C-alpha cells in the first residue's frame, strides 16, 4: 500500500533490524579478525621470538663450552656440551622449524634458513672441537690443538655472523608483533564503535518512529475516537476528512461518509416523522440494513395512513349520512375541537378565534338550562350525558333539534376536565315526533272524550230508566186516582227527557260521522251574519247586540256544517249568558297570526256577559253535559261539540274569561 | 224524626227518592238541594241544630258544584264533624274511576248505584 502507515512501520522495523544485524555481523567479523590476530601473536610471533632467543643463547653456550673445551677440558662441561649439541639443539631446532612452517613471509623464512645453516656450522664446529680434543692426550698434540683452534675461530666468525642475522630477524619479528598487537587493539576499538553506533541508530530510529506514531497516528485516532463517541451518543458532528493517503486518512474518510450517511438517514427519518410518507431515500448500498428498515417503515406507514385515511373518509361519509359529528371540549380552557361533519351540521363559524366554544351562544336559550342540568346530573352520577336540545345555527339563522351524547373525563381530584361526545342532527325526526305527539295527544284527548261520552251516555240513559222505574214503582203503590194520574204525567215528562237526550246523542253521533274533509270556501263575515239571523228571536228577547267586525272579503276553507255549528254555539252562549245588569254586547272579529312558517286565522267572539271562573272550571269547560250557571236551558253539549269540530279541522279553541266582566273565545282556523 | 238531605240536580229523581223514603221509612224529614253549593248552604244553616241531616244522599254530576267539589267544601268546613256526617254517594255513573274515587274519599261511607232500592233506603234511614 502506497505510503501506508503499515509500510512505514515495516520500513522502520526493517531499518532497525538491518542495522542491528549488520552491526552484529560486522562485530563478529571484527571480533574474528581480532581473535585470529591474537592467535597469530600467541601461537607464532611470540614463540618465534622466544625460540630464536633460546637458539641464539644455545649457540652462544655451545661456542663458549667449545672454547672451554679447547682450553681446559673437563668432564662436566663435556657432558653439558654433549647435551647441548646432541639433545637441546635438536629440541629447539625442531620447535623453531614448527613455528617457521607457519610463516608466510618468504624473506623472513630465507633469513631463518641462513641462521639455521649458521647454527649447523656452529654445531658441527663444536663436534669437531670435541672430537679433536677427545681425551687428555689430545692436548698435547699441537696439530690437533691447532686444528681445534682453527675450528674454534671458524665458529667464532660464524657466531658473529649468525648473531647479526639473529638480531635482524628478531627485530623483524618484534616489529611484526607490534604491528599485530596494534591491529588487535584496533579491531577491539572497532567493535566498541560498531556497538555504540548500532545502539545510537536503533535509538534514533525508534525515537523518530514513536514521534511519527504520536503525531500521525495517535492524535488523529483520538480525534476519530472522539467523533465516534459523539456519534455513539446520537449526535452527528460536522467533521472534515483528513487529506491523507493512508489508513488514518481512509478511516477518516470512511467516518465522514458514515456521518453523511447517518445524516441522510436522519433527514429521511425526520421526514417520516413529519408524516411525509412520499419522501425518497437512496440506499447507501445493497447491505444498508438501516436504510432498508427506514424505507420499509415509510412504506408501512404510507400504507397504514392511506388505509386510515380511507377509513376516516368512510367514517366521515357515514357521519354525514347519519348527520352526526363528534367533538372534544376542554372544560377549563373552553377549547373545542370538532369533526368536519359537525361543522357542516352546525355551521363553519362554530368555533371562536381562540378555538373556544360558547355553549350558551349556540344552545337555544330555552334548552341551555336543561342541558347544563343534565350535564351536572351526569357528572354527579358518573354517567354519560344524553340529552336532546335545540341549537342555533348562526349562519342559517335557524334552530334545529340535536341529540347530544357526552362522556366526561375527570382529574385525580374527581373534577370533570373534558368531555368527548357526539352531536346528531335529529331535527326531522324530532319535528316528526313532536307532530306525532301532538296528533297522539289530540287523539288521546278525543279518545278520552269519547270514553267520557260513553259514560255520559250510559249515565243519561240510565238516569231516565231509573226515573221511569222509580215512577212506575210509585205508581203501582199509589192509592188514589189523582196520585196515579200525577205519576202518568211524570212518566210523560221522563219520556220527553229521554227523547231529548236521545236527540242530543244523535247530534253528537251525526257530528262524529259528518264529512270533516269536505271543505268549502266560506265568506266568514256572511257566515256570522247568517248565524245572527238564526238567533234573531233570542237577540230580540235579550235586547242584545252582535257586532260583526269580520272583514267582508275574508274567505276561509272550512266545513260549512262545523262552522255554522261553532258560530251558533258560541254566539248563542254569548247571548244566553248575558249579565243581568247590562245589555249583552257581542263583538266578532278575525285576525291573522303567524305560527312558525304557517299563518292562521283567529276568530274571536267577545262578550260582556257573566264570565266563567276558569280557576275552577277550565278543565270541564269543554266537557259534555257541563253547565256552569244553573241555567235551565243549559244542556252542557254545545262547547263539547264546538271543541271537537274545531280540532277536527286542525285548529283549536281557547278561552279567556273573568267573572262578571265577560268571556272571549278564540277559534284558531288553519 | 230523622233528617235526610238529597243533593241531586235531577228534580224527577229528587221527587221519586223523597216519596219512596216517606213511603217506606216512617216519619222522616226529607230536604233536597239542586247542587253542592245549595247543599253547603243548608248544612251551614243546620249546623249545631237538630236539623243536622242523619243521612246525606249525594249525586256526582251536578252543575255549579258537583259531588266532588261538595266533598272538598265539606272537608274544608266540617272536618271536625266527620263522624257525624253520613254521606252516601248515589249515581247512575258506571265509570269505575268514580267508584274508586269515592272509595278513596274518607267522607263517603258508601257508593250506591242508582236506583237505590227500598230495602237499602230502609237500612240507611230505618
Amino acid at each position: 500500500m502506497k505510503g501506508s502507515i503499515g509500510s512505514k512501520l515495516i520500513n522502520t522495523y526493517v531499518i532497525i533490524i538491518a542495522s542491528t544485524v549488520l552491526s552484529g555481523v560486522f562485530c563478529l567479523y571484527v571480533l574474528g579478525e581480532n581473535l585470529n590476530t591474537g592467535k597469530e601473536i600467541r601461537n607464532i610471533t611470540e614463540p618465534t621470538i622466544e625460540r630464536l632467543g633460546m637458539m641464539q643463547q644455545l649457540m652462544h653456550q655451545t661456542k663458549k663450552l667449545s672454547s672451554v673445551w679447547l682450553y681446559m677440558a673437563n668432564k662436566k662441561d663435556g657432558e653439558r656440551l654433549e647435551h647441548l649439541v646432541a639433545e637441546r639443539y635438536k629440541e629447539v631446532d625442531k620447535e623453531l622449524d614448527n613455528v617457521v612452517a607457519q610463516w608466510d613471509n618468504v624473506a623472513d623464512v630465507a633469513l631463518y634458513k641462513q641462521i639455521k645453516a649458521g647454527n649447523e656450522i656452529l654445531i658441527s664446529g663444536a663436534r669437531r672441537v670435541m672430537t679433536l680434543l677427545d681425551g687428555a692426550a689430545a692436548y698435547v698434540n699441537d696439530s690437533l690443538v691447532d686444528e681445534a683452534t682453527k675450528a674454534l675461530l671458524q665458529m667464532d666468525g660464524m657466531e658473529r655472523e649468525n648473531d647479526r642475522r639473529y638480531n635482524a630477524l628478531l627485530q623483524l619479528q618484534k616489529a611484526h608483533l607490534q604491528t599485530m598487537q596494534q591491529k588487535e587493539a584496533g579491531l577491539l576499538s572497532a567493535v566498541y564503535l560498531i556497538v555504540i553506533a548500532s545502539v545510537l541508530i536503533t535509538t534514533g530510529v525508534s525515537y523518530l518512529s514513536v514521534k511519527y506514531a504520536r503525531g500521525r497516528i495517535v492524535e488523529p485516532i483520538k480525534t476519530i475516537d472522539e467523533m465516534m463517541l459523539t456519534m455513539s451518543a446520537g449526535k452527528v458532528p460536522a467533521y472534515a476528512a483528513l487529506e491523507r493517503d493512508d489508513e488514518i486518512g481512509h478511516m477518516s474518510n470512511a467516518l465522514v461518509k458514515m456521518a453523511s450517511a447517518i445524516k441522510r438517514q436522519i433527514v429521511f427519518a425526520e421526514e417520516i416523522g413529519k408524516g411525509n410518507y412520499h419522501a425518497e431515500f437512496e440506499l447507501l448500498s445493497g447491505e444498508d440494513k438501516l436504510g432498508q428498515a427506514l424505507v420499509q417503515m415509510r412504506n408501512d406507514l404510507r400504507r397504514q395512513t392511506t388505509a386510515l385515511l380511507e377509513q376516516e373518509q368512510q367514517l366521515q361519509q357515514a357521519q354525514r349520512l347519519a348527520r352526526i359529528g363528534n367533538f372534544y371540549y376542554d372544560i377549563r380552557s373552553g377549547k373545542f375541537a370538532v369533526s368536519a361533519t359537525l361543522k357542516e351540521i352546525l355551521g363553519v363559524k362554530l368555533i371562536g378565534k381562540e378555538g373556544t366554544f360558547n355553549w350558551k351562544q349556540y344552545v337555544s336559550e330555552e334548552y341551555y338550562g336543561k342541558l347544563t342540568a343534565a350535564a351536572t346530573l351526569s357528572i354527579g352520577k358518573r354517567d354519560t350525558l344524553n340529552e336532546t336540545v335545540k341549537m342555533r345555527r348562526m349562519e342559517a339563522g335557524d334552530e334545529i333539534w340535536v341529540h347530544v351524547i357526552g362522556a366526561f373525563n375527570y382529574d385525580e381530584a374527581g373534577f370533570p376536565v373534558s368531555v368527548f361526545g357526539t352531536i346528531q342532527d335529529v331535527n326531522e325526526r324530532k319535528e316528526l315526533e313532536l307532530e306525532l305527539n301532538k296528533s297522539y295527544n289530540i287523539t288521546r284527548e278525543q279518545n278520552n272524550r269519547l270514553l267520557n261520552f260513553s259514560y255520559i251516555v250510559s249515565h243519561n240513559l240510565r238516569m231516565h230508566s231509573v226515573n221511569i222505574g222509580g215512577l212506575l214503582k210509585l205508581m203501582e203503590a199509589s192509592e188514589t186516582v189523582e196520585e196515579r194520574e200525577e205519576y202518568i204525567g211524570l212518566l210523560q215528562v221522563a219520556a220527553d227527557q229521554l227523547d231529548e237526550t236521545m236527540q242530543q246523542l244523535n247530534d253528537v253521533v251525526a257530528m262524529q260521522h259528518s264529512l270533516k274533509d269536505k271543505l268549502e270556501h266560506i265568506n266568514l263575515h256572511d257566515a256570522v251574519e247568517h248565524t245572527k239571523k238564526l238567533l234573531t228571536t233570542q237577540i230580540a228577547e235579550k235586547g242584545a247586540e252582535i257586532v260583526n267586525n269580520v272583514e267582508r272579503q275574508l274567505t276561509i276553507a272550512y266545513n260549512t256544517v262545523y262552522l255554522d255549528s261553532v258560530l251558533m254555539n258560541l254566539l248563542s252562549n254569548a247571548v244566553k249568558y248575558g249579565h243581568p245588569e247590562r245589555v249583552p254586547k257581542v263583538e266578532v272579529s278575525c285576525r291573522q297570526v303567524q305560527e312558525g312558517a304557517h299563518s292562521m286565522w283567529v276568530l274571536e267572539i267577545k262578550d260582556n256577559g257573566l264570565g266563567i271562573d276558569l280557576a275552577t272550571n277550565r278543565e270541564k269547560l269543554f266537557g259534555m253535559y257541563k253547565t256552569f250557571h244553573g241555567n235551565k236551558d243549559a244542556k252542557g253539549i254545545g262547547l263539547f261539540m264546538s271543541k271537537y269540530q274545531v280540532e277536527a279541522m286542525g285548529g283549536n279553541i281557547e278561552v279567556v274569561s273573568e267573572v262578571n266582566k265577560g268571556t272571549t273565545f278564540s277559534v284558531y282556523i288553519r | 224524626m230523622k233528617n235526610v238531605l238529597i243533593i241531586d240536580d235531577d228534580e224527577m229523581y229528587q221527587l221519586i227518592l223523597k216519596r219512596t223514603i216517606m213511603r217506606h221509612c216512617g216519619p222522616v224529614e226529607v230536604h233536597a238541594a239542586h247542587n253542592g253549593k245549595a247543599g253547603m248552604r243548608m248544612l251551614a244553616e243546620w249546623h249545631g241544630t237538630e236539623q243536622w241531616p242523619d243521612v246525606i244522599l249525594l249525586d256526582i254530576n251536578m252543575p255549579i258544584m258537583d259531588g266532588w267539589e261538595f266533598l272538598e267544601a265539606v272537608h274544608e268546613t266540617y272536618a271536625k264533624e266527620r263522624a257525624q256526617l253520613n254521606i252516601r254517594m248515589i249515581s247512575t255513573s258506571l265509570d269505575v274511576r268514580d267508584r274508586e274515587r269515592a272509595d278513596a274519599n274518607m267522607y263517603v261511607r258508601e257508593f250506591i248505584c242508582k236506583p237505590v232500592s227500598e230495602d237499602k233506603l230502609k237500612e240507611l234511614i230505618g
Side-chain angles (χ1 to χ4, degrees):
Chain A
M1 195 187 294
K2 188 190 166 192
S4 73
I5 292 171
S7 65
K8 279 173 184 164
L9 285 174
I10 290 167
N11 289 345
T12 311
Y13 296 137
V14 166
I15 289 167
I16 293 169
I17 292 164
S19 66
T20 311
V21 169
L22 272 175
S23 58
V25 169
F26 195 54
C27 265
L28 285 174
Y29 170 74
V30 174
L31 277 173
E33 282 298 303
N34 177 270
L35 280 175
N36 286 338
T37 310
K39 211 187 260 175
E40 194 181 334
I41 289 168
R42 277 174 290 283
N43 292 347
I44 303 169
T45 315
E46 280 175 356
T48 301
I49 292 167
E50 191 191 357
R51 298 290 183 281
L52 280 173
M54 283 170 69
M55 187 58 92
Q56 194 180 12
Q57 203 71 25
L58 197 131
M59 285 305 132
H60 283 161
Q61 282 181 343
T62 304
K63 197 221 117 194
K64 193 180 173 182
L65 284 173
S66 298
S67 303
V68 170
W69 189 261
L70 179 63
Y71 296 109
M72 188 183 62
N74 64 49
K75 201 182 171 186
K76 199 177 172 185
D77 288 338
E79 283 173 357
R80 279 182 60 196
L81 188 60
E82 187 65 32
H83 172 72
L84 280 176
V85 173
E87 292 171 27
R88 188 70 187 142
Y89 169 68
K90 282 179 184 168
E91 276 175 31
V92 175
D93 185 57
K94 196 180 176 185
E95 281 172 12
L96 259 177
D97 281 350
N98 285 341
V99 174
V100 171
Q102 296 173 63
W103 289 7
D104 45 8
N105 193 315
V106 179
D108 286 3
V109 173
L111 188 58
Y112 172 68
K113 281 181 178 172
Q114 285 175 359
I115 290 170
K116 189 171 167 80
N119 289 341
E120 287 295 330
I121 292 165
L122 282 169
I123 290 298
S124 59
R127 285 188 189 278
R128 187 163 172 85
V129 168
M130 283 179 72
T131 311
L132 289 170
L133 299 176
D134 196 14
Y139 284 102
V140 283
N141 187 337
D142 283 340
S143 67
L144 287 173
V145 171
D146 284 347
E147 217 175 318
T149 303
K150 230 194 252 169
L152 199 61
L153 283 172
Q154 211 180 349
M155 278 178 69
D156 195 45
M158 186 49 68
E159 186 189 40
R160 278 196 300 272
E161 183 66 24
N162 244 13
D163 273 349
R164 193 181 45 80
R165 286 174 188 155
Y166 272 117
N167 289 338
L169 190 58
L170 274 171
Q171 235 167 7
L172 281 171
Q173 286 299 318
K174 278 178 183 170
H176 184 60
L177 178 67
Q178 199 175 3
T179 305
M180 295 294 279
Q181 279 171 338
Q182 278 173 352
K183 187 184 170 185
E184 190 184 24
L187 285 169
L188 205 61
S189 299
V191 170
Y192 291 143
L193 277 173
I194 287 163
V195 169
I196 288 165
S198 175
V199 167
L200 281 174
I201 288 166
T202 310
T203 309
V205 170
S206 299
Y207 171 73
L208 287 174
S209 177
V210 167
K211 196 178 175 188
Y212 173 84
R214 189 182 168 82
R216 297 285 286 175
I217 301 172
V218 176
E219 289 303 328
I221 284 176
K222 269 167 83 177
T223 310
I224 289 167
D225 179 48
E226 275 170 18
M227 188 186 172
M228 286 171 85
L229 266 175
T230 312
M231 281 170 71
S232 73
K235 281 187 276 182
V236 184
Y239 180 75
L242 295 173
E243 293 287 332
R244 284 169 58 166
D245 187 20
D246 57 17
E247 289 87 341
I248 297 282
H250 298 162
M251 202 192 289
S252 149
N253 271 333
L255 201 60
V256 167
K257 274 184 189 169
M258 191 164 90
S260 151
I262 289 174
K263 266 183 189 166
R264 273 183 57 211
Q265 283 164 337
I266 287 171
V267 167
F268 183 53
E270 278 173 351
E271 284 300 312
I272 295 171
K274 282 181 205 160
N276 176 13
Y277 303 132
H278 295 282
E280 289 301 333
F281 183 73
E282 198 183 325
L283 293 178
L284 306 175
S285 71
E287 296 296 308
D288 181 5
K289 296 291 178 198
L290 179 58
Q292 283 170 352
L294 283 172
V295 169
Q296 180 69 35
M297 187 168 85
R298 179 204 62 188
N299 292 345
D300 287 350
L301 281 170
R302 186 159 61 192
R303 202 164 45 245
Q304 283 168 8
T305 309
T306 309
L308 211 64
L309 215 65
E310 274 172 18
Q311 277 177 9
E312 203 176 295
Q313 278 169 353
Q314 283 170 1
L315 181 71
Q316 221 174 65
Q317 191 59 29
Q319 286 192 342
R320 204 165 276 134
L321 288 170
R323 301 281 297 157
I324 192 168
N326 54 285
F327 67 90
Y328 178 81
Y329 180 65
D330 189 297
I331 295 170
R332 287 173 184 174
S333 67
K335 288 269 167 66
F336 195 65
V338 296
S339 67
T341 44
L342 191 55
K343 277 189 182 172
E344 285 168 20
I345 293 166
L346 292 177
V348 286
K349 286 183 188 169
L350 189 63
I351 299 166
K353 275 180 186 170
E354 288 162 8
T356 54
F357 183 75
N358 187 348
W359 289 91
K360 204 166 187 174
Q361 198 181 348
Y362 277 88
V363 177
S364 173
E365 210 173 306
E366 200 181 334
Y367 292 95
Y368 182 73
K370 189 185 174 197
L371 184 64
T372 49
T376 311
L377 197 68
S378 301
I379 291 164
K381 286 183 174 176
R382 289 289 190 273
D383 200 358
T384 309
L385 170 67
N386 212 322
E387 195 61 53
T388 302
V389 295
K390 263 192 163 178
M391 280 185 92
R392 280 191 204 101
R393 298 200 296 182
M394 290 297 175
E395 283 149 67
D398 58 358
E399 286 186 353
I400 57 164
W401 284 102
V402 296
H403 189 69
V404 183
I405 296 175
F408 289 92
N409 299 308
Y410 302 89
D411 63 11
E412 284 170 2
F415 290 108
V417 289
S418 62
V419 53
F420 176 78
T422 59
I423 293 178
Q424 186 174 21
D425 173 4
V426 293
N427 201 44
E428 270 183 38
R429 203 167 69 199
K430 186 71 183 178
E431 291 288 356
L432 202 66
E433 185 188 311
L434 290 174
E435 195 63 38
L436 280 171
N437 269 349
K438 208 168 160 186
S439 304
Y440 170 71
N441 284 338
I442 289 170
T443 311
R444 195 174 59 176
E445 210 174 301
Q446 283 180 352
N447 279 342
N448 276 339
R449 274 209 307 280
L450 283 171
L451 185 67
N452 285 336
F453 175 68
S454 67
Y455 283 130
I456 288 160
V457 168
S458 81
H459 170 270
N460 285 12
L461 293 177
R462 288 192 74 236
M463 181 178 84
H464 298 303
S465 71
V466 164
N467 284 353
I468 290 167
L471 285 170
L472 284 171
K473 276 192 177 172
L474 285 170
M475 197 169 76
E476 275 175 20
S478 61
E479 289 159 358
T480 64
V481 176
E482 291 80 12
E483 212 178 332
R484 277 179 80 87
E485 281 176 355
E486 190 197 357
Y487 289 127
I488 289 169
L490 285 172
L491 275 170
Q492 186 58 51
V493 173
D496 289 346
Q497 284 177 343
L498 176 61
D499 189 51
E500 196 186 346
T501 301
M502 292 304 288
Q503 189 56 48
Q504 286 168 358
L505 293 178
N506 263 348
D507 289 348
V508 173
V509 172
M511 178 189 74
Q512 308 264 4
H513 283 94
S514 74
L515 296 169
K516 66 178 181 186
D517 294 336
K518 196 183 164 197
L519 297 181
E520 285 172 61
H521 289 282
I522 305 164
N523 183 298
L524 195 57
H525 182 88
D526 292 351
V528 173
E529 285 303 312
H530 175 69
T531 311
K532 265 171 81 176
K533 264 186 195 166
L534 293 174
L535 289 169
T536 310
T537 316
Q538 288 93 320
I539 293 168
E541 267 180 20
K542 296 272 181 177
E545 185 192 1
I546 296 181
V547 184
N548 184 356
N549 286 331
V550 179
E551 258 182 70
R552 285 184 182 278
Q553 306 303 321
L554 179 59
T555 307
I556 57 164
Y558 222 75
N559 182 300
T560 313
V561 180
Y562 283 5
L563 184 65
D564 286 345
S565 170
V566 169
L567 283 171
M568 177 58 84
N569 269 316
L570 294 178
L571 286 175
S572 65
N573 277 349
V575 173
K576 205 186 288 175
Y577 305 118
H579 200 280
E581 291 169 9
R582 52 184 177 254
V583 173
K585 187 180 177 183
V586 186
E587 284 175 65
V588 185
S589 60
C590 192
R591 62 189 170 89
Q592 202 167 20
V593 292
Q594 202 70 25
E595 195 203 58
H598 309 284
S599 63
M600 291 179 91
W601 289 104
V602 186
L603 175 69
E604 286 180 342
I605 294 155
K606 183 181 177 186
D607 67 48
N608 61 348
L610 292 166
I612 305 159
D613 181 6
L614 291 176
T616 54
N617 294 315
R618 184 180 286 277
E619 290 299 312
K620 29 185 208 180
L621 186 58
F622 295 101
M624 206 178 187
Y625 295 113
K626 299 290 180 188
T627 56
F628 305 98
H629 301 107
N631 190 307
K632 290 192 173 179
D633 294 334
K635 309 277 190 311
I637 198 109
L639 284 177
F640 169 78
M641 283 175 67
S642 293
K643 185 174 169 70
Y644 179 89
Q645 287 161 342
V646 170
E647 284 178 358
M649 295 307 296
N652 60 307
I653 187 163
E654 286 177 0
V655 61
V656 178
S657 187
E658 204 175 324
V659 175
N660 288 328
K661 283 200 172 172
T663 305
T664 302
F665 281 94
S666 300
V667 178
Y668 286 78
I669 301 163
R670 276 188 194 274
Chain B
M1 198 159 53
K2 292 205 171 172
N3 279 318
V4 175
L5 172 60
I6 300 168
I7 306 174
D8 197 326
D9 64 328
D10 186 353
E11 287 178 6
M12 180 78 81
Y13 195 67
Q14 278 184 19
L15 180 79
I16 292 164
L17 210 51
K18 206 186 263 184
R19 292 210 178 163
T20 308
I21 291 165
M22 290 172 82
R23 185 178 291 271
H24 295 284
C25 302
V28 61
E29 202 168 322
V30 183
H31 298 272
H34 283 93
N35 56 54
K37 205 164 184 178
M40 281 301 290
R41 268 201 303 273
M42 286 176 163
L43 285 182
E45 201 181 309
W46 296 335
H47 188 233
T49 69
E50 286 186 354
Q51 287 282 86
W52 187 260
D54 297 289
V55 179
I56 298 173
L57 299 172
L58 177 66
D59 187 21
I60 296 174
N61 293 304
M62 292 176 288
I64 302 176
M65 183 186 275
D66 65 18
W68 304 119
E69 288 165 336
F70 171 79
L71 288 169
E72 280 172 31
V74 164
H75 177 64
E76 278 171 25
T77 318
Y78 304 110
K80 286 181 183 171
E81 283 93 348
R82 186 159 69 92
Q84 286 128 49
L85 284 165
N86 183 3
I87 300 173
R88 310 282 162 153
M89 261 192 145
I90 52 166
S91 176
T92 47
S93 172
L94 295 176
D95 192 339
V96 283
R97 290 171 295 183
D98 285 335
R99 179 175 283 277
E100 283 167 7
R101 200 169 164 189
D103 288 346
N105 193 297
M106 57 185 176
Y107 291 92
V108 179
R109 295 200 183 175
E110 194 176 7
F111 182 90
I112 307 161
C113 242
K114 286 181 186 174
V116 187
S117 66
E118 291 149 13
D119 291 342
K120 188 73 193 174
L121 286 171
K122 279 183 202 164
E123 180 198 320
L124 283 175
I125 302 160

